[in-house]
Amino acid sequence: MKKILTSSFIILALALVACGGKDDKKAGDGKEGVKEVPKVEEAKETAASIAQQWCELNGKAHRAAEGAEKKAAETALMNFEEAMEKKYDADKAFMDEIGKEAEKCEDASEGK
Protein backbone atom coordinates (compact mmCIF):
# COMPACT_ATOMS: atom_id res chain seq x y z
CA MET A 1 0.00 0.00 0.00
CA LYS A 2 2.84 2.31 0.90
CA LYS A 3 4.54 1.62 -2.45
CA ILE A 4 1.34 2.40 -4.38
CA LEU A 5 0.83 5.74 -2.61
CA THR A 6 4.48 6.73 -3.02
CA SER A 7 4.59 5.83 -6.69
CA SER A 8 1.23 7.61 -7.33
CA PHE A 9 2.56 10.72 -5.63
CA ILE A 10 5.77 10.64 -7.70
CA ILE A 11 3.83 10.18 -10.96
CA LEU A 12 1.49 13.03 -10.06
CA ALA A 13 4.40 15.32 -9.17
CA LEU A 14 6.19 14.54 -12.45
CA ALA A 15 3.00 15.18 -14.42
CA LEU A 16 2.51 18.56 -12.71
CA VAL A 17 6.10 19.58 -13.37
CA ALA A 18 5.84 18.56 -17.01
CA CYS A 19 2.57 20.49 -17.56
CA GLY A 20 3.47 23.55 -15.54
CA GLY A 21 6.38 24.75 -17.68
CA LYS A 22 4.42 25.71 -20.81
CA ASP A 23 4.65 29.52 -20.56
CA ASP A 24 6.50 30.11 -23.83
CA LYS A 25 4.52 32.03 -26.45
CA LYS A 26 3.99 30.45 -29.83
CA ALA A 27 3.38 32.28 -33.08
CA GLY A 28 -0.31 32.43 -33.90
CA ASP A 29 -1.56 32.18 -30.35
CA GLY A 30 -4.00 35.02 -30.99
CA LYS A 31 -2.11 37.68 -29.06
CA GLU A 32 -0.47 39.36 -32.05
CA GLY A 33 -1.87 42.63 -33.24
CA VAL A 34 -4.11 43.02 -30.22
CA LYS A 35 -4.10 46.61 -29.10
CA GLU A 36 -5.17 47.80 -25.71
CA VAL A 37 -8.50 49.56 -25.95
CA PRO A 38 -8.41 53.01 -24.38
CA LYS A 39 -10.98 53.68 -21.71
CA VAL A 40 -13.92 55.71 -22.84
CA GLU A 41 -14.40 58.83 -20.81
CA GLU A 42 -17.62 59.06 -18.89
CA ALA A 43 -20.20 61.09 -20.78
CA LYS A 44 -20.46 64.54 -19.29
CA GLU A 45 -23.85 65.63 -18.12
CA THR A 46 -25.30 68.75 -19.64
CA ALA A 47 -27.88 71.03 -18.12
CA ALA A 48 -30.36 69.81 -20.72
CA SER A 49 -29.76 66.13 -19.95
CA ILE A 50 -30.10 66.69 -16.21
CA ALA A 51 -33.28 68.72 -16.73
CA GLN A 52 -34.67 65.96 -18.95
CA GLN A 53 -34.07 63.38 -16.24
CA TRP A 54 -35.72 65.68 -13.70
CA CYS A 55 -38.74 66.19 -15.99
CA GLU A 56 -39.13 62.44 -16.46
CA LEU A 57 -39.08 61.86 -12.69
CA ASN A 58 -41.41 64.82 -12.12
CA GLY A 59 -43.85 63.43 -14.69
CA LYS A 60 -43.80 60.01 -13.03
CA ALA A 61 -44.49 61.64 -9.66
CA HIS A 62 -47.47 63.59 -11.05
CA ARG A 63 -48.94 60.66 -13.00
CA ALA A 64 -48.47 58.05 -10.28
CA ALA A 65 -51.52 56.68 -8.53
CA GLU A 66 -51.97 57.63 -4.90
CA GLY A 67 -50.31 55.42 -2.35
CA ALA A 68 -47.03 53.55 -2.46
CA GLU A 69 -46.44 54.21 -6.18
CA LYS A 70 -46.75 57.98 -5.76
CA LYS A 71 -44.59 57.99 -2.64
CA ALA A 72 -41.87 55.99 -4.43
CA ALA A 73 -41.92 58.36 -7.42
CA GLU A 74 -41.74 61.44 -5.18
CA THR A 75 -38.88 59.89 -3.21
CA ALA A 76 -36.98 59.16 -6.42
CA LEU A 77 -37.47 62.78 -7.52
CA MET A 78 -36.27 64.13 -4.16
CA ASN A 79 -33.22 61.81 -4.19
CA PHE A 80 -32.33 62.96 -7.71
CA GLU A 81 -32.65 66.62 -6.72
CA GLU A 82 -30.48 66.13 -3.64
CA ALA A 83 -27.83 64.27 -5.62
CA MET A 84 -27.64 67.01 -8.25
CA GLU A 85 -27.50 69.72 -5.58
CA LYS A 86 -24.59 67.97 -3.87
CA LYS A 87 -22.80 67.32 -7.13
CA TYR A 88 -23.14 70.81 -8.62
CA ASP A 89 -23.52 72.94 -5.48
CA ALA A 90 -20.33 74.90 -6.17
CA ASP A 91 -21.33 75.75 -9.76
CA LYS A 92 -24.16 78.26 -9.31
CA ALA A 93 -24.26 79.19 -13.02
CA PHE A 94 -24.69 75.55 -14.03
CA MET A 95 -27.46 75.08 -11.46
CA ASP A 96 -29.25 78.15 -12.86
CA GLU A 97 -28.92 76.71 -16.36
CA ILE A 98 -30.44 73.42 -15.18
CA GLY A 99 -33.32 75.38 -13.66
CA LYS A 100 -33.99 77.21 -16.92
CA GLU A 101 -33.93 73.96 -18.88
CA ALA A 102 -36.24 72.30 -16.36
CA GLU A 103 -38.75 75.15 -16.66
CA LYS A 104 -39.04 74.41 -20.38
CA CYS A 105 -40.33 70.89 -19.81
CA GLU A 106 -41.95 71.21 -16.37
CA ASP A 107 -45.48 71.98 -17.58
CA ALA A 108 -45.40 69.15 -20.09
CA SER A 109 -44.17 66.70 -17.46
CA GLU A 110 -47.04 67.70 -15.19
CA GLY A 111 -49.60 67.27 -17.98
CA LYS A 112 -50.45 70.96 -18.29
Side-chain angles (χ1 to χ4, degrees):
M1 179 76 162
K2 200 174 192 183
K3 285 184 178 182
I4 295 174
L5 286 175
T6 305
S7 59
S8 296
F9 177 72
I10 291 172
I11 292 172
L12 179 62
L14 290 174
L16 289 174
V17 169
C19 294
K22 302 247 177 176
D23 286 335
D24 54 329
K25 305 221 182 230
K26 296 179 183 176
D29 65 354
K31 303 259 181 191
E32 296 133 10
V34 176
K35 296 179 183 174
E36 187 174 318
V37 178
K39 291 184 179 181
V40 177
E41 287 187 30
E42 192 173 304
K44 294 193 178 197
E45 294 177 316
T46 63
S49 68
I50 293 170
Q52 182 63 39
Q53 289 175 337
W54 181 87
C55 287
E56 288 173 10
L57 291 170
N58 187 46
K60 287 179 184 178
H62 281 286
R63 289 187 302 270
E66 291 297 323
E69 183 182 350
K70 186 162 188 84
K71 186 169 176 98
E74 289 173 345
T75 302
L77 179 61
M78 284 183 7
N79 289 342
F80 179 77
E81 289 173 350
E82 289 174 4
M84 291 300 109
E85 286 174 8
K86 285 180 185 176
K87 189 172 185 178
Y88 298 110
D89 186 43
D91 194 350
K92 181 74 172 155
F94 189 67
M95 289 295 286
D96 291 341
E97 190 177 342
I98 293 170
K100 289 176 187 175
E101 291 291 327
E103 286 175 10
K104 294 178 185 177
C105 64
E106 183 175 12
D107 288 340
S109 72
E110 293 174 359
K112 295 179 184 177

